Amino acid sequence: DVFGMTPFHIVATSAKFRLDLFHVLLDGYPLDALSQRDLYGKTMLDYLLMNATPRAIPLIKLVVQKVIIEQMNRDGMERSTVELSSLI
């Protein structure tokens, strides 16, 4: 958009988080979209962390899990989602 926000930024700044929509976005966009900065220099994770509501925690955990899984895949490592969720 005109502020350089991705769909992830929009979800992160939303007053009512949609975890289901976030899952769809994570599956459909490249992972580097998570680190894209808007015109204010903020990533979507910056907005999630600034939100300071317990409702943001599942989205933050989902982002962290996705990034870890992606990195593990690049490194040729395997770990089940169940094992991974116990790390976070």
Side-chain angles (χ1 to χ4, degrees):
D1 73 356
V2 295
F3 297 106
M5 291 183 147
T6 67
F8 291 108
H9 285 88
I10 304 301
V11 172
T13 57
S14 173
K16 195 171 186 184
F17 296 121
R18 294 269 318 269
L19 194 56
D20 59 333
L21 177 59
F22 205 71
H23 273 285
V24 171
L25 291 173
L26 280 175
D27 290 340
Y29 278 82
L31 207 54
D32 20 334
L34 296 174
S35 60
Q36 183 175 333
R37 296 185 180 277
D38 63 12
L39 291 180
Y40 303 105
K42 305 274 189 244
T43 67
M44 58 77 58
L45 193 54
D46 292 327
Y47 286 111
L48 279 177
L49 294 171
M50 286 188 311
N51 202 308
T53 175
R55 293 188 324 256
I57 293 171
L59 294 180
I60 294 167
K61 286 178 73 171
L62 190 58
V63 169
V64 171
Q65 286 177 343
K66 183 75 171 179
V67 170
I68 290 172
I69 289 170
E70 184 69 23
Q71 187 61 50
M72 290 173 72
N73 289 339
R74 286 185 195 151
D75 294 342
M77 301 169 67
E78 291 185 24
R79 176 165 261 156
S80 72
T81 305
V82 173
E83 291 173 347
L84 181 60
S85 64
S86 68
L87 297 174
I88 299 173

